[in-house]
C-alpha cells in the first residue's frame, strides 16, 4: 500500500471514531438530564422542601444592620415613656424652670463665660459671677464707663468726644433717666457704644425685698430696650456705688436673666486728677465717669492724652472679648420675671459689707433682741457687736464675723 493511500485511510478511521464519541456523549447527557428532572418531580410529589430560589434573598435582613445580641433583650415599647417621668424630675432642681429661662434672650455660652473669667481682674470668686474691675491684657485699651446720665447734653458731648477718637464706651444709665436720654442712647448704640444696667432708681438692691430687687433690674433693661426699639440683652450690672456686688441673691437673678457679670471699676475719674490718671494708665483699666460738667472737662483732657500714648477706647464687651449685646424684636416687658429659687452657699459676712444676707442677719438678730430695728443691710459696728454677743451666748467663736456656723445658729441651718 502506498504511503499516500495509507494516510487517507488513517484520517477516515480517525473521523469515524470522533463522531462516534460525540454521539455517545450526547446520549449520556440526555439520559442524565431526564433522570434529574424525574428525581425533582418525585421529590416534590413526596412533600420535600425545595432549595430556596434566588428571588428569596431580598426577604433576608440587610447585611449592614447587625443582629441583636442574644444576651441583650430588645426593649419593650413602653420602656421609654415610663422611664422619662422618673428621670427628668431628679435633674430639674439644677436647671432654671423653662418659664424663667425664657426671660433671657441668650444664655451665656460656656466659652464666653470662661473667656470672661480668665481675663477679669481680680480672680473670680467661687460661686459668683465675675466682678470686673479691669482686664489682664497687655493690649493698650481703656474702658471708659459713664454712669447715671443725669445730664443728657453732657452725655452727648462725651459720646461725640470718644467717637471722634475712633473709640467706644459703656453707658450705665439709671432707668428713670432713659426717657430723657433715649435719643443720645440710641445714637451711641448705633455707633457701637454699649449700654448696661445701673438699676431703675439707683437702688442699692441689698435692702429691698425680692420683688423690688427684680423690678429694679428688669425695668431698667426694659426701658433701654424700649428706647432702642429692640429687646436688648444686657451683659453687665453695676450696683450703686459698687455695693452689693457680692450678693448671692443678685447674682442668682443675673444668671436667670442671662447676664455675664458685675461691672466694677479700676479708677473713678474725679477722685484724682487727669495728670494722675495719665501717669498711672495701665492696659485693661476701667474708669468711671458721670455726666457732670467736671467729669466732661476731665474727659476732654484725658482722652487726647491717652490716645497720643497709643490707647484705644473700648466697651466692656470688647475689653473681655465678648460678643456685642444680643438683640431681638421688641416684646412686652410689663411682666417682671420673679426671682427663681436658688441655693445659698457658705459665705462669711463682715464689716463694710452691703448685702441682702446682711439684712437677713440683722432682721434675725433684731427678732432675738440683739439689735434694734434700725438696720439697712450695712454690716457696721453695731451689727458686728450684736453678732459677737450672739456668738458668746451660743458657744461660738466671738469674732464678730458671720460665717456658716453663726448663720446656722441664727437660722437653724435653713
Amino acid at each position: 500500500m502506498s504511503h499516500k493511500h495509507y494516510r487517507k485511510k488513517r484520517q477516515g478511521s480517525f473521523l469515524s471514531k470522533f463522531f462516534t464519541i460525540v454521539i455517545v456523549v450526547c446520549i449520556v447527557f440526555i439520559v442524565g438530564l431526564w433522570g434529574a428532572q424525574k428525581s425533582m418531580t418525585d421529590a416534590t410529589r413526596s412533600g420535600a422542601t425545595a432549595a430556596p430560589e434566588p428571588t428569596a434573598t431580598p426577604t433576608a435582613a440587610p447585611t449592614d444592620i447587625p443582629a441583636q445580641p442574644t444576651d441583650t433583650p430588645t426593649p419593650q415599647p413602653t420602656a421609654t415613656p415610663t422611664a422619662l417621668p422618673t428621670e427628668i424630675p431628679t435633674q430639674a432642681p439644677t436647671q432654671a424652670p423653662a418659664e424663667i429661662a425664657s426671660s433671657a434672650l441668650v444664655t451665656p455660652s460656656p466659652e464666653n463665660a470662661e473667656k470672661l473669667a480668665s481675663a477679669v481682674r481680680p480672680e473670680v470668686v467661687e460661686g459668683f459671677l465675675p466682678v470686673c474691675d479691669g482686664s489682664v491684657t497687655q493690649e493698650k485699651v481703656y474702658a471708659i464707663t459713664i454712669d447715671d446720665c443725669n445730664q443728657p447734653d453732657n452725655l452727648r458731648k462725651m459720646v461725640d468726644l470718644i467717637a471722634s477718637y475712633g473709640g467706644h464706651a459703656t453707658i450705665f444709665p439709671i432707668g428713670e433717666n432713659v426717657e430723657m436720654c433715649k435719643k443720645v442712647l440710641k445714637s451711641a448704640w448705633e455707633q457701637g457704644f454699649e449700654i448696661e444696667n445701673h438699676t431703675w432708681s439707683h437702688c442699692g438692691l441689698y435692702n429691698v425685698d425680692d420683688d423690688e430687687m427684680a423690678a429694679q433690674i428688669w425695668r431698667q433693661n426694659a426701658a433701654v430696650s424700649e428706647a432702642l426699639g429692640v429687646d436688648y440683652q444686657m451683659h453687665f450690672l453695676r450696683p450703686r456705688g459698687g455695693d452689693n456686688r457680692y450678693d448671692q441673691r443678685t447674682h442668682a437673678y443675673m444668671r436667670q436673666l442671662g447676664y455675664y457679670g458685675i461691672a466694677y471699676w479700676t479708677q473713678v475719674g474725679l477722685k484724682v486728677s487727669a495728670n494722675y490718671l495719665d501717669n498711672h494708665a495701665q492696659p485693661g483699666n476701667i474708669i468711671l465717669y458721670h455726666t457732670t460738667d467736671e467729669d466732661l472737662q476731665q474727659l476732654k483732657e484725658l482722652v487726647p492724652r491717652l490716645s497720643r500714648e497709643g490707647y484705644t477706647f473700648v466697651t466692656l464687651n470688647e475689653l473681655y472679648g465678648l460678643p456685642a449685646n444680643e438683640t431681638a424684636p421688641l416684646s412686652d416687658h410689663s411682666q417682671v420675671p420673679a426671682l427663681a429659687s436658688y441655693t445659698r452657699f457658705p459665705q462669711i459676712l463682715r464689716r463694710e459689707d452691703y448685702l441682702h444676707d446682711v439684712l437677713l442677719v440683722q432682721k434675725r438678730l433684731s427678732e432675738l433682741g440683739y439689735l434694734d430695728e434700725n438696720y439697712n443691710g450695712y454690716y457696721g459696728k453695731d451689727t458686728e457687736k450684736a453678732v459677737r454677743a450672739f456668738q458668746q451666748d451660743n458657744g461660738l467663736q466671738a469674732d464678730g464675723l458671720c460665717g456658716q456656723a453663726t448663720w446656722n445658729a441664727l437660722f437653724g441651718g435653713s
Side-chain angles (χ1 to χ4, degrees):
M1 181 183 296
S2 67
H3 179 75
K4 182 177 180 180
H5 181 72
Y6 172 79
R7 187 171 58 186
K8 285 182 179 182
K9 185 176 180 179
R10 187 180 179 185
Q11 287 176 346
S13 176
F14 174 80
L15 290 174
S16 297
K17 291 180 180 179
F18 174 78
F19 284 118
T20 299
I21 293 172
V22 170
I23 291 170
V24 171
V25 170
C26 289
I27 292 172
V28 172
F29 177 78
I30 291 170
V31 171
L33 185 61
W34 175 81
Q37 181 65 30
K38 186 175 184 302
S39 298
M40 184 176 295
T41 302
D42 293 341
T44 303
R45 287 174 180 174
S46 65
T49 303
E53 297 292 331
T55 55
T57 303
T59 63
T63 56
D64 58 345
I65 300 179
Q68 282 279 355
T70 56
D71 59 345
T72 304
T74 303
Q76 297 300 314
T78 58
T80 301
T82 57
L84 285 175
T86 59
E87 292 174 359
I88 291 177
T90 62
Q91 299 173 355
T94 63
Q95 302 171 356
E99 64 271 17
I100 297 299
S102 64
S103 62
L105 290 179
V106 62
T107 300
S109 69
E111 295 79 9
N112 287 331
E114 183 178 347
K115 185 182 298 183
L116 175 59
S118 63
V120 72
R121 295 196 321 242
E123 293 183 359
V124 178
V125 178
E126 185 177 0
F128 292 97
L129 294 174
V131 176
C132 310
D133 70 357
S135 173
V136 286
T137 179
Q138 298 304 311
E139 186 179 359
K140 299 189 76 173
V141 291
Y142 236 81
I144 298 174
T145 62
I146 306 169
D147 280 16
D148 297 357
C149 305
N150 295 320
Q151 298 87 1
D153 191 51
N154 282 349
L155 174 61
R156 178 186 57 78
K157 292 175 182 178
M158 289 177 166
V159 169
D160 291 345
L161 171 66
I162 296 166
S164 70
Y165 283 86
H168 304 130
T170 303
I171 306 171
F172 289 88
I174 296 171
E176 292 178 333
N177 291 339
V178 169
E179 178 62 26
M180 68 179 180
C181 296
K182 63 181 181 180
K183 290 184 179 179
V184 182
L185 292 174
K186 187 168 185 179
S187 173
W189 172 59
E190 291 171 345
Q191 294 178 69
F193 284 60
E194 176 184 335
I195 306 171
E196 299 293 354
N197 204 318
H198 199 36
T199 74
W200 172 256
S201 64
H202 215 218
C203 172
L205 298 178
Y206 53 87
N207 54 5
V208 297
D209 63 22
D210 292 354
D211 290 343
E212 179 61 19
M213 183 275 300
Q216 284 284 330
I217 297 173
W218 176 262
R219 289 181 63 198
Q220 192 273 3
N221 201 153
V224 171
S225 293
E226 294 285 345
L228 301 183
V230 294
D231 272 3
Y232 187 72
Q233 173 66 56
M234 293 184 173
H235 290 171
F236 295 96
L237 169 71
R238 174 172 280 171
R240 183 191 67 194
D243 302 335
N244 206 54
R245 60 186 178 274
Y246 283 108
D247 180 68
Q248 297 191 32
R249 182 184 65 164
T250 304
H251 283 249
Y253 195 62
M254 289 172 61
R255 283 194 182 92
Q256 183 178 317
L257 297 186
Y259 282 56
Y260 278 91
I262 292 282
Y264 199 52
W265 54 81
T266 315
Q267 301 161 319
V268 178
L270 287 188
K271 285 192 174 181
V272 291
S273 67
N275 283 334
Y276 178 90
L277 293 172
D278 185 14
N279 293 333
H280 291 81
Q282 182 179 349
N285 277 2
I286 301 173
I287 189 167
L288 185 154
Y289 281 103
H290 295 87
T291 54
T292 68
D293 292 343
E294 293 79 11
D295 285 273
L296 174 59
Q297 185 57 43
Q298 189 182 89
L299 204 55
K300 286 181 177 179
E301 296 178 34
L302 186 63
V303 167
R305 289 187 182 187
L306 293 177
S307 179
R308 286 194 295 269
E309 293 170 15
Y311 281 93
T312 56
F313 308 107
V314 297
T315 66
L316 292 183
N317 282 327
E318 291 170 336
L319 180 66
Y320 292 112
L322 300 175
N325 291 5
E326 296 80 5
T327 61
L330 191 62
S331 61
D332 180 21
H333 298 100
S334 59
Q335 186 67 36
V336 179
L339 171 67
S341 61
Y342 64 95
T343 302
R344 184 187 185 274
F345 52 87
Q347 179 182 10
I348 297 176
L349 309 177
R350 51 170 54 90
R351 281 286 294 270
E352 305 300 324
D353 279 346
Y354 289 84
L355 300 170
H356 183 64
D357 279 357
V358 172
L359 189 74
L360 298 179
V361 168
Q362 290 172 330
K363 181 180 178 181
R364 183 61 177 151
L365 288 171
S366 178
E367 293 171 349
L368 296 174
Y370 290 91
L371 190 67
D372 63 29
E373 295 183 356
N374 186 25
Y375 53 83
N376 59 4
Y378 167 64
Y379 205 118
K381 62 179 182 180
D382 290 341
T383 300
E384 184 180 58
K385 181 179 178 181
V387 168
R388 186 176 288 111
F390 173 82
Q391 291 170 330
Q392 288 174 339
D393 291 347
N394 288 271
L396 301 170
Q397 181 180 349
D399 55 10
L401 303 176
C402 185
Q404 191 61 28
T406 302
W407 179 278
N408 290 343
L410 283 168
F411 297 103
S414 62

